[in-house]
Structures are given as structure tokens and as C-alpha cells.
Amino acid sequence: MLPVGAAPFAQPELTALRIVRPKTSLSTRTLGLIAGICLYLGTLFLVLGSPSPSHAATLLFKSSFEGSLLLGEPYDCKTSCWQDVKGADSATGYSWPPQIWQGSGQLQLLADTPVTPNTVSSYVFNEIQSVAGPRGQQTSVLYSEIRKRGSGATQVPYLLTPSATALQGDLYVSYWIKLQPDFLEKLGPNNWWVLFEWKTNAQQRLITYILVDRLTRPYWHLKTDDLSAGPARSFWEITNHTAPVPVGQWFKFEFFWHRSSQRDGRAWQAINGQVVFDRFGPLLGGNDPIDRIMLTQVYAGGSLPLYQWVDDIEIWDGFPCGDGTPCGTTVPR
């Protein structure tokens, strides 16, 4: 067999053959380097998981609490009451309540003790107030407060209640929030504050906290767990001790999730444009629909009163600013 590049029929009078090497645009060494990089990236994606499906996100709801919005009177009271936000936002055109996945939404005044429409406000309270907002100008916001505990579960969330039979996909929520100026003094060491959570029909939960350590230093904590039988059984939990926890000032909260039983599940959170969590992996996937989303929440340990302000709520069916990109601290106009 002749070497590569030799003439197929050499003439007898030639005393030597000239071997011509094939011309290539990439050297063997370069090809080996490229192959090595591809192998590394492939391994990395297996570890981290591939990004969640992305598409041009659609805005589902937006409100800045402007215009003739009002809070209805509490109703259907037992150990909690319900309260509606009513009207259309003059700044955005969206009407309350948000209708996410064929559901509705109300404020839940959960006193965790028997109450009536006349007594529930001594435990938990909501109000649309005019305050200096994220832009420093007077604006309308939602104010929520725990005044007295009926028991350990006293809280005041704005509760989205999706239909269990609706098609549920990805969701991104954001809003501006301001915690009370004496937040750390009220919580004290080794305590907690729930910022956001959702639960499934089978009592599985995603929840993000502000925790306070023994030196009263706040930090972020995110976990999923199972509340269906006895004490909570944790699936996974992660913390972030480096991202700042703003207290007594407005900050932008963003949260995105993609549910899956595979590696493409994703739980993502950003504060003031800084990514705090971006976890890939199984995220409460399966045929267990979300039936409660605590869009806003005042639920915490510590001493009372506990309160916060919320403005500029947005709900999308994906990342509005690009896959995994925070929308940052730009205040809506």
C-alpha cells in the first residue's frame, strides 16, 4: 500500500517517491484542543443541568397600586378572613385580582384564632397607603402588618389560587419591597422571616427566607420540603451569606421557577439586580399542581408589630429581561 498522497501508479524510472501530506485547515493539536474543550463543557452541563426552556416572555399582570384601587371589607371569617383588592390600576391598565393559571387571588388575613370581620384587624391588617416609594416620590403601595398573634401560624399573604386543572408552566414574579426600619431589632438573633413561597396540592413547598444568625446578621435561605405528614421533610436547601439583605429601604425582589423532576428544574432569585440563587436540578416536578402562591407575605418570628410595604408587582410566564438575567434596579415608570 502506498503512503497517503503518493501517485497510484509510480513510474519505474523514478528512483524515489515524493510523499505529499494532505493540506488541512486545522492541525492535529488544534483538533485535540477543541475536542478537549467540548468534552469539558459536556461534563459541565451534565453537572449543572441544561438551562430551562426559554422563550419571549409574556406579561400576565402588572400593578403599581395607582388609581381608584381599594380594599374590600373582610369576609368568610373563621380562623382567617379573606379580603379583596378591587379595581383597575390606572398606571398599568390591569385589573385586580391577577388571573394566573385560570385562578384568582385574595389577601388572606390568617389570625390563626377565631375572628370576625370586626376583630380580625386587631391581629392582621392591610391598607393601601401613600408613601415615598422606590423613586422617592409619593406613590400608592400595599402595606401589610401583623399586630397580634392568635397562634404560631399568624400571617398575612396575598394568595394566588391557580386552578388545579389548568396547564401550569414557568413563572417569574417581581416587586419592590421595603421592610420595617427596626426589622433586625424585632426579629432578634436566630430568627426568620418568610419573603415568598408556594405550595402544591400535596403539601410540597418552595419557600425563601431571610434568616438571622446568632449575631443578628441577616442572610438568604431557600429550600423545598414536604409538609404532608408530620414535621417538614426537606428535599434540599441552600443559603447565601454574601448577598446583602436591605433593611429599611426599597429593594427589587425577583423570583423565577421551572418545575421538573429532571436536571432542568430551576429555582432563581435576585435582589437589586444581584443573583442570590440559581439552582438547577429536580424542583417538585410531577403531576402535583401548585394551588397556593403567596405572592407577598408577612410571616415571621420575633416580636410585634411586623410590617412591610410592596409596590410595582409584575408576573410573567418567563424571564422578561433574558434567560437568567435580572431586570435590575430600574424602577418602572
Side-chain angles (χ1 to χ4, degrees), residues 305-324:
L306 299 170
Y307 54 91
Q308 68 184 22
W309 299 265
V310 170
D311 197 15
D312 296 322
I313 293 175
E314 295 187 14
I315 306 175
W316 298 70
D317 67 355
F319 282 108
C321 297
D323 187 20

Side-chain angles (χ1 to χ4, degrees), residues 22-308:
K23 294 182 179 179
T24 59
S25 57
L26 293 174
S27 69
T28 302
R29 183 177 181 181
T30 303
L31 289 171
L33 179 60
I34 292 173
I37 292 173
C38 291
L39 179 61
Y40 171 77
L41 290 176
T43 303
L44 184 63
F45 285 135
L46 285 174
V47 173
L48 297 180
S50 59
S52 56
S54 61
H55 65 285
T58 300
L59 179 63
L60 304 178
F61 180 78
K62 182 176 181 178
S63 180
S64 302
F65 297 98
E66 299 299 332
S68 57
L69 294 183
L70 56 87
L71 297 184
E73 293 297 318
Y75 62 95
D76 285 353
C77 297
K78 293 179 181 178
T79 58
S80 68
C81 301
W82 298 101
Q83 185 176 34
D84 295 323
V85 181
K86 299 180 178 181
D89 191 308
S90 61
T92 68
Y94 284 84
S95 295
W96 287 81
Q99 296 181 357
I100 306 302
W101 300 333
Q102 301 178 19
S104 189
Q106 302 94 6
L107 288 158
Q108 185 180 25
L109 313 181
L110 206 172
D112 202 23
T113 191
V115 287
T116 69
N118 293 326
T119 62
V120 69
S121 62
S122 64
Y123 292 90
V124 291
F125 176 75
N126 296 287
E127 186 175 47
I128 295 179
Q129 296 184 349
S130 178
V131 301
R135 291 186 291 272
Q137 301 174 342
Q138 288 297 116
T139 186
S140 296
V141 303
L142 175 65
Y143 172 82
S144 300
E145 177 185 350
I146 298 177
R147 295 174 164 178
K148 181 172 67 174
R149 289 190 177 91
S151 190
T154 302
Q155 56 191 281
V156 53
Y158 188 89
L159 200 64
L160 298 176
T161 51
S163 168
T165 60
L167 179 64
Q168 298 186 0
D170 298 349
L171 215 62
Y172 162 98
V173 302
S174 72
Y175 44 79
W176 285 83
I177 181 170
K178 182 180 178 181
L179 305 173
Q180 63 196 85
D182 59 349
F183 175 86
L184 293 177
E185 289 82 359
K186 289 295 184 182
L187 259 62
N190 299 316
N191 229 317
W192 54 276
W193 176 290
V194 175
L195 193 63
F196 175 80
E197 62 179 305
W198 50 256
K199 294 180 181 179
T200 72
N201 187 60
Q203 292 295 296
Q204 295 187 343
R205 175 179 67 170
L206 175 146
I207 185 166
T208 184
Y209 293 93
I210 299 171
L211 297 184
V212 180
D213 67 15
R214 62 184 181 85
L215 299 178
T216 322
R217 296 173 300 195
Y219 62 97
W220 301 103
H221 186 80
L222 175 65
K223 74 173 183 175
T224 58
D225 54 19
D226 187 343
L227 308 176
S228 62
R233 179 174 62 90
S234 178
F235 296 118
W236 55 259
E237 48 191 304
I238 50 178
T239 60
N240 185 321
H241 290 267
T242 59
V245 178
V247 172
Q249 58 184 285
W250 287 100
F251 65 91
K252 178 74 170 287
F253 169 76
E254 302 173 76
F255 202 99
F256 167 87
W257 71 88
H258 170 70
R259 292 184 68 193
S260 175
S261 59
Q262 306 301 316
R263 293 179 177 179
D264 64 333
R266 190 173 190 180
W268 178 98
Q269 177 181 319
I271 300 294
N272 276 343
Q274 178 180 349
V275 175
V276 178
F277 300 116
D278 193 4
R279 183 190 185 276
F280 285 95
L283 180 61
L284 303 183
N287 299 317
D288 179 20
I290 294 172
D291 64 359
R292 286 156 290 173
I293 302 172
M294 289 70 164
L295 181 63
T296 66
Q297 174 69 293
V298 180
Y299 180 32
S303 59
L304 304 177
L306 299 170
Y307 54 91
Q308 68 184 22

